[in-house]
Amino acid sequence: MDKHMKLLRSLDKARGGARVTEKEWDQKILPRTLKEVAKEHGLLGSCDPENPVNSDPQLADAFFKAGWDAAVRLGFFCPDTESVIRVEEDELARELERVPSNFPLGQGPEQVRVPARRPSDGVQPIYCSPLSIQMDEELYVPLVQGILSSRLVDMQEGPSIDTVMGSPLLAHTPYETFGGIYEAHLRKEAQWRAGRVGIGNSLVASSSTHFGFLAAFNLFEQPQLCLCLNPASLKVNYTTFHKAFVTNELGGYVRSESPTMVGGYTGGAETTAIGSIATDLLQFPITGAALPGSPSYEILYAGNCGRKGLWAQSIATQAVTRNTSMPLMKTINQVSGPFTEMFFLETIAGMTAASASGQAFTISPRSAGGSVKNHLTPLECWYNAAVFKGAAGMSLEDANTVCKEVLPRFEGQLFDPPKGRSFRELYDIRALTPDAEYLEMYLKMREYAEGLGIPMPGDGVFC
Amino acid sequence: MDDILAKISEAVYEGEEEEVVRLVSQALEQGTDPQTIIQEGGVPALSRLGEDFNNEEVFLPELMLGGDCMKALVGLVSPHLGSDQGAYKGKVVIGTAQGDLHDIGKSLVATQLSIHGYEVIDLGTDVPTNVFLDRAEEEGADIIAVSSLLTTAQYYMGDLIGRLNSEGRRNRFRVVVGGGPVGPDYAREVGADGYARTAHLAVKMLDQVMQNEPGTALVIEA
């Protein structure tokens, strides 16, 4: 009941809070407050794109203090009630003492514990795959079977499907409710085929509203992870509360994600990092999320493997992981696609920075920016996992050196990235084997990563 | 006169709507040509904002405030324009499709269109198909622009065009689509008039779409 009470208190605040319009929040309250806070803490102008992974712990701590101030001053905006859910400073401090520092997901031998990590932590993070990239429904089972055939993958989230038995999976309709059920059955089939029964799930990928989630979450033995996607940083909506109540009752854990954008409502790289920290600090007190995640993307190319995206995300991650005991997740958004060298290079930059900065958990890949249907194969997933886990224990200075080495090789293409090829083009889907040329590229890029000082764990299939 | 135009430009750039209203009213009282107020007061500020946004010197909130100022400016000067002098290139009703709460991409497109000469009615997120159609009719819009980041919501783009076809109204509105999972092939499949990959390209695409009759051709900027 304790967890339910927290959600009820948040809902009460959402109903009774001061009314502001979403436009006021987006255009004035949020950006101006973040800028004020950054100015007060002397952080404006501290972004250093030449060194995309911060290695100054004092700067990370200064960002934490600024993020804390922003969290207390702002709270979360609730679009459903057009009001603000505020959290007092003592309440924030009390709640953050209660965040679980680790928690289990999945069952039996497949169960994993999500650990809180700190920068340069030698403890390996948890890798969940793939993101909700759209696939033809007939490709769902073979693709997931392929992905889960490597033990580098600890948990499953995506992909997403856009049809259910040939009918369109329409948002806000009973198709979506059935979509959740249908996806659950496809997952179970694929996990069984891969010999991974009991693996933890982040649910559900094909329906971002509560309809699909409510239909599917109790079809799995708990504990599982509940996927809540909020529209933007420092916002929470009723959909998240619907999901959180059910998750609490069934014994799962909430993962609440709210993206920040460099260039978007949160402003430049410094204020975006502060907005991201504030969002992560407020998730547990407001939604009870055991796994908060406010990734930072760059609005101009919708990814975060460029310099400012890397910098904002890595300093925000370091700030939270150095000063709290909460496990933290953020996604890495590649914009290039499968069978492109750029994809591997983006992955090295994003995953190395994330792992060295103390992220506990990630879900990836976002191959081809997640915008091209069927552009996903198992090899991208395994490569992401190997870099994320291999970079555990790496110093921030070394992570910065790695990023500086790879960035010049792809950053010129961030605005017009190669989309690569599809699962059908790159795999023999019946045999679940990759095209020889693609396999050669994958193995070569593994060697390249190892040459940069990342000890890449084997995928158990090809190496 | 140049001084007041420079002040209007500065106020639009700074997003100070009340100041814009005050200065534009003053300029009109002084007999300044309405088109000059738009072209030499508002447009340079918006061009500067667009450029500074691309250089990461200003951000989405400043861009949106500038767009709102331009809207206020044009609203004030419109009654003073001759009947053959339209203040806008076209009227756009824009929103995110039903079931999708993502708003940043849609807001960026709305703002870019607004600062490049379109009158924009932003319906927000999670907009049902009938609301798009009703508001487009009420507003006398030229264009319906639908965004979706979710595959589950993109279907409503096809529904909207299908409804226009079945109701014999396809020749009333140009329909343009965009968003993460939406691509040129999907735009072609649903019979849209335009698709653009980015907010910047959306302006270029819409300029071309406005040259075509609704439902006659597909313009792609990818």
Side-chain angles (χ1 to χ4, degrees):
Chain A
M1 277 301 145
D2 193 36
K3 287 181 175 177
H4 290 325
M5 284 304 294
K6 177 188 295 197
L7 296 176
L8 285 170
R9 277 201 309 272
S10 296
L11 283 175
D12 291 343
K13 287 182 184 177
R15 281 174 52 243
R19 189 184 169 203
V20 293
T21 66
E22 191 157 19
K23 194 171 173 178
E24 283 174 309
W25 179 264
D26 290 339
Q27 293 185 5
K28 294 178 182 170
I29 298 169
L30 176 68
R32 288 177 187 176
T33 307
L34 291 175
K35 202 167 177 179
E36 270 168 29
V37 170
K39 208 171 171 183
E40 285 167 22
H41 287 262
L43 297 175
L44 287 176
S46 61
C47 172
D48 179 7
E50 296 306 311
N51 291 292
V53 180
N54 170 64
S55 53
D56 176 357
Q58 287 178 334
L59 187 63
D61 291 348
F63 266 88
F64 179 78
K65 286 177 186 156
W68 179 282
D69 281 356
V72 173
R73 285 188 215 181
L74 283 163
F76 273 0
F77 176 77
C78 177
D80 299 277
T81 56
E82 286 199 317
S83 66
V84 179
I85 303 171
R86 289 197 191 284
V87 176
E88 298 298 328
E89 188 160 14
D90 57 343
E91 185 186 356
L92 181 59
R94 206 168 50 242
E95 285 290 320
L96 292 179
E97 289 288 314
R98 299 173 60 199
V99 182
S101 59
N102 65 82
F103 57 89
L105 291 166
Q107 294 81 42
E110 292 288 351
Q111 187 172 82
V112 291
R113 288 198 84 83
V114 181
R117 294 177 73 242
R118 291 173 67 81
S120 305
D121 202 321
V123 172
Q124 282 204 344
I126 300 297
Y127 180 74
C128 180
S129 193
L131 279 163
S132 304
I133 293 167
Q134 185 188 1
M135 300 294 292
D136 289 334
E137 66 176 293
E138 64 269 25
L139 295 180
Y140 186 99
V141 171
L143 175 71
V144 173
Q145 181 187 347
I147 292 169
L148 299 187
S149 63
S150 170
R151 291 270 159 187
L152 286 173
V153 179
D154 300 308
M155 280 188 56
Q156 186 197 343
E157 178 173 288
S160 65
I161 48 174
D162 60 349
T163 54
V164 280
M165 297 181 172
S167 294
L169 207 168
L170 279 163
H172 278 200
T173 70
Y175 289 108
E176 210 178 359
T177 306
F178 177 65
I181 296 167
Y182 186 57
E183 184 188 305
H185 287 297
L186 294 178
R187 271 178 193 255
K188 289 184 177 189
E189 168 75 13
Q191 290 171 2
W192 177 78
R193 286 196 195 186
R196 303 292 302 268
V197 173
I199 189 172
N201 291 277
S202 174
L203 296 160
V204 296
S206 301
S207 154
S208 69
T209 66
H210 44 281
F211 294 101
F213 168 83
L214 294 175
F217 199 63
N218 66 350
L219 299 180
F220 291 86
E221 199 178 319
Q222 299 300 321
Q224 305 290 350
L225 200 56
C226 156
L227 163 60
C228 296
L229 297 174
N230 294 293
S233 56
L234 292 145
K235 285 185 185 177
V236 64
N237 56 26
Y238 274 1
T239 289
T240 290
F241 287 106
H242 280 299
K243 293 180 180 181
F245 275 115
V246 174
T247 302
N248 289 345
E249 184 61 28
L250 294 177
Y253 293 91
V254 172
R255 166 204 156 203
S256 194
E257 183 175 330
S258 317
T260 49
M261 294 254 184
V262 177
Y265 298 133
T266 49
E270 299 91 352
T271 42
T272 294
I274 294 169
S276 171
I277 295 162
T279 306
D280 285 336
L281 293 180
L282 288 167
Q283 288 288 6
F284 184 75
I286 292 175
T287 68
L291 192 59
S294 175
S296 301
Y297 308 136
E298 292 190 61
I299 197 168
L300 291 178
Y301 64 87
N304 60 4
C305 297
R307 290 176 188 270
K308 288 188 178 174
L310 286 171
W311 184 89
Q313 180 137 303
S314 68
I315 199 155
T317 302
Q318 291 170 33
V320 173
T321 58
R322 279 178 55 80
N323 291 282
T324 73
S325 58
M326 68 167 86
L328 190 65
M329 76 140 291
K330 290 179 192 290
T331 48
I332 308 303
N333 255 38
Q334 298 95 343
V335 290
S336 55
F339 197 38
T340 67
E341 190 178 87
M342 180 176 171
F343 176 85
F344 294 105
L345 297 170
E346 281 192 277
T347 301
I348 291 172
M351 288 295 169
T352 303
S355 186
S357 294
Q359 263 185 237
F361 189 101
T362 198
I363 306 169
S364 76
R366 183 99 65 191
S367 45
S371 63
V372 187
K373 193 172 182 181
N374 298 331
H375 275 45
L376 173 67
T377 83
L379 293 188
E380 301 90 73
C381 305
W382 301 349
Y383 195 85
N384 273 256
V387 179
F388 191 47
K389 293 183 175 193
M394 185 179 274
S395 72
L396 293 167
E397 290 82 0
D398 286 348
N400 186 42
T401 303
V402 167
C403 289
K404 286 167 74 171
E405 173 69 27
V406 298
L407 270 161
R409 294 186 59 184
F410 70 83
E411 60 190 335
Q413 293 176 277
L414 284 169
F415 290 85
D416 193 15
K419 295 299 178 193
R421 296 192 199 167
S422 70
F423 185 40
R424 282 196 177 91
E425 291 168 310
L426 291 171
Y427 256 70
D428 176 336
I429 291 167
R430 284 176 68 89
L432 275 179
T433 51
D435 169 85
E437 211 181 332
Y438 188 30
L439 180 59
E440 191 185 330
M441 177 189 269
Y442 164 77
L443 294 171
K444 191 179 121 202
M445 293 309 290
R446 279 183 56 96
E447 281 176 24
Y448 175 72
E450 281 171 351
L452 292 171
I454 304 166
M456 301 279 279
D459 60 33
V461 179
F462 296 115
C463 53
Chain B
M1 189 181 290
D2 287 351
D3 186 45
I4 198 161
L5 292 173
K7 283 180 181 169
I8 289 170
S9 190
E10 195 56 26
V12 170
Y13 183 86
E14 294 296 334
E16 294 164 352
E17 194 171 330
E18 284 177 18
E19 186 66 356
V20 170
V21 169
R22 190 184 69 77
L23 290 167
V24 171
S25 304
Q26 193 183 325
L28 287 169
E29 278 167 23
Q30 290 171 359
T32 311
D33 173 46
Q35 274 294 1
T36 306
I37 296 175
I38 295 173
Q39 295 304 327
E40 295 179 28
V43 170
L46 297 182
S47 303
R48 208 173 123 209
L49 273 173
E51 207 172 295
D52 289 351
F53 178 76
N54 288 331
N55 292 329
E56 300 182 55
E57 288 162 12
V58 300
F59 309 111
L60 186 57
E62 289 95 328
L63 212 56
M64 293 171 90
L65 286 168
D68 285 351
C69 286
M70 188 63 173
K71 204 170 178 176
L73 182 154
V74 173
L76 281 172
V77 303
S78 285
H80 302 273
L81 290 168
S83 57
D84 58 337
Q85 287 184 292
Y88 294 108
K89 294 181 192 170
K91 195 173 201 177
V92 187
V93 163
I94 189 169
T96 306
Q98 184 169 12
D100 192 343
L101 298 166
H102 294 89
D103 76 332
I104 294 177
K106 178 269 303 166
S107 296
L108 185 56
V109 172
T111 305
Q112 290 282 5
L113 294 177
S114 177
I115 68 174
H116 284 92
Y118 287 90
E119 183 177 8
V120 178
I121 315 293
D122 189 344
L123 304 181
T125 61
D126 193 14
V127 182
T129 301
N130 289 348
V131 173
F132 273 112
L133 294 172
D134 293 349
R135 286 298 299 277
E137 199 69 63
E138 280 165 32
E139 300 284 349
D142 302 295
I143 303 134
I144 300 174
V146 191
S147 161
S148 173
L149 203 64
L150 300 177
T151 56
T152 51
Q154 73 174 16
Y155 283 115
Y156 290 111
M157 297 169 175
D159 279 10
L160 187 148
I161 294 170
R163 193 158 294 176
L164 284 173
N165 282 327
S166 65
E167 293 172 2
R169 293 195 287 160
R170 185 65 184 92
N171 60 356
R172 274 285 296 113
F173 308 105
R174 296 160 183 88
V175 182
V176 298
V177 297
V182 182
D185 290 344
Y186 188 73
R188 193 171 291 114
E189 186 186 322
V190 297
D193 295 275
Y195 160 81
R197 185 170 59 85
T198 66
H200 181 67
L201 291 173
V203 179
K204 199 172 162 194
M205 175 269 288
L206 217 57
D207 287 348
Q208 293 176 66
V209 165
M210 282 302 288
Q211 307 302 315
N212 301 331
E213 290 302 313
T216 59
L218 171 63
V219 177
I220 292 170
E221 284 292 341

